[in-house]
């Protein structure tokens, strides 16, 4: 019996020396599996007002903008002749107008677009008669890249409105379209000079793709 006990004791010692005794607490890893419903948000729900999806592109709507100036503003030498029938002096002048893209649109790349430019002549004479011109240029912001231009020439009869479509160039634009209209009038027409009469320019952009 003593021999058996000794053998068992030695066997137990061998088992202890062949194993590492843990000295740190065990790490417990948890994995949670939850049931979540799938949700889909369409692109149209994320777009700002004035922007819609059009095929693989977006359509941006820009509002109509206009400005006007009186004959007195454009022709300083007309002031002494106000109320008289006399030859119209030659004069040069400019009108500027601008319109922002829809709110939250910081930049766009134009694929195609145009604007209808309308000139309403409130003068009692045609300021373009005799070789005058009215050059309308659209820029990507004030002082930015030119993206369109059209030139009006006579006739621009008294009280009449003439229109022309201006095509916008492709490429990147920022938040604002800026229009500069430069008038060059050679004068010479005999007319009643009324410095309060006005010339009006209106720009109506088509939806820009």
């Amino acid at each position: 019996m003593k021999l058996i006990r000794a053998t068992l004791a030695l066997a137990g010692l061998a088992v202890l020396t062949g194993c590492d005794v843990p000295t740190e607490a065990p790490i417990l890893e948890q994995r949670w599996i939850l049931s979540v419903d799938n949700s889909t948000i369409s692109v149209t729900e994320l777009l700002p007002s004035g922007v819609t999806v059009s095929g693989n592109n977006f359509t941006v709507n820009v509002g109509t903008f206009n400005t006007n100036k009186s004959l007195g503003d454009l022709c300083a030498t007309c002031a002494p002749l106000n109320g008289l029938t006399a030859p119209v002096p030659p004069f040069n002048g400019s009108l500027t107008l601008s319109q922002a893209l829809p709110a939250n649109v910081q930049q766009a790349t134009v694929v195609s677009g145009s604007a209808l430019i309308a000139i309403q002549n409130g003068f009692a004479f045609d300021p373009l008669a005799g070789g005058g011109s009215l050059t309308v240029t659209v820029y990507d912001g004030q002082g930015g890249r030119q993206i369109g231009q059209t030139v009006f020439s006579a006739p621009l009869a008294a009280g009449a409105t003439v229109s022309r479509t201006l095509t916008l160039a492709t490429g990147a634009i920022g938040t604002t379209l800026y229009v500069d209209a430069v008038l060059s009038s050679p004068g010479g027409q005999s007319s009643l000079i009324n410095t309060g009469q006005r010339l009006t320019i209106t720009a109506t952009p088509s939806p820009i793709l």
Side-chain angles (χ1 to χ4, degrees):
M1 289 296 294
K2 291 182 179 180
L3 179 59
I4 293 174
R5 288 175 182 174
T7 302
L8 291 175
L10 289 174
L13 180 61
V15 171
L16 289 176
T17 56
C19 299
D20 292 330
V21 178
T23 58
E24 299 180 358
I27 298 174
L28 179 62
E29 295 183 357
Q30 300 184 23
R31 183 175 65 172
W32 295 72
I33 300 176
L34 302 176
S35 177
V36 179
D37 293 333
N38 292 326
S39 298
T40 301
I41 301 176
S42 68
V43 173
T44 55
E45 295 181 62
L46 303 176
L47 295 177
S49 177
V51 181
T52 56
V53 175
S54 179
N56 293 325
N57 299 295
F58 297 100
T59 296
V60 178
N61 294 296
V62 180
T64 298
F65 47 118
N66 61 72
T67 189
N68 63 79
K69 275 190 176 181
S70 68
L71 178 61
D73 292 332
L74 295 167
C75 176
T77 55
C78 292
L81 303 174
N82 187 42
L84 302 176
T85 298
V88 179
F91 62 93
N92 297 305
S94 64
L95 301 89
T96 58
L97 51 160
S98 63
Q99 181 66 280
L101 271 61
N104 298 318
V105 177
Q106 298 299 314
Q107 188 179 37
T109 300
V110 176
V111 175
S112 65
S114 62
L116 182 67
I117 308 298
I119 311 298
Q120 181 182 8
N121 179 20
F123 302 157
F125 61 93
D126 182 351
L128 306 183
S133 64
L134 179 59
T135 303
V136 178
T137 308
V138 181
Y139 297 95
D140 173 25
Q142 187 172 6
R145 177 177 69 96
Q146 177 180 315
I147 58 175
Q149 186 178 83
T150 187
V151 180
F152 291 82
S153 56
L156 180 55
T161 299
V162 296
S163 302
R164 182 168 295 175
T165 299
L166 179 153
T167 300
L168 300 178
T170 59
I173 59 174
T175 60
T176 306
L177 296 179
Y178 183 85
V179 177
D180 186 22
V182 178
L183 172 65
S184 176
S185 177
Q189 310 96 316
S190 181
S191 174
L192 175 64
I193 307 297
N194 183 345
T195 55
Q197 293 176 336
R198 310 187 79 83
L199 183 74
T200 302
I201 299 179
T202 302
T204 307
S206 65
I208 299 174
L209 192 64

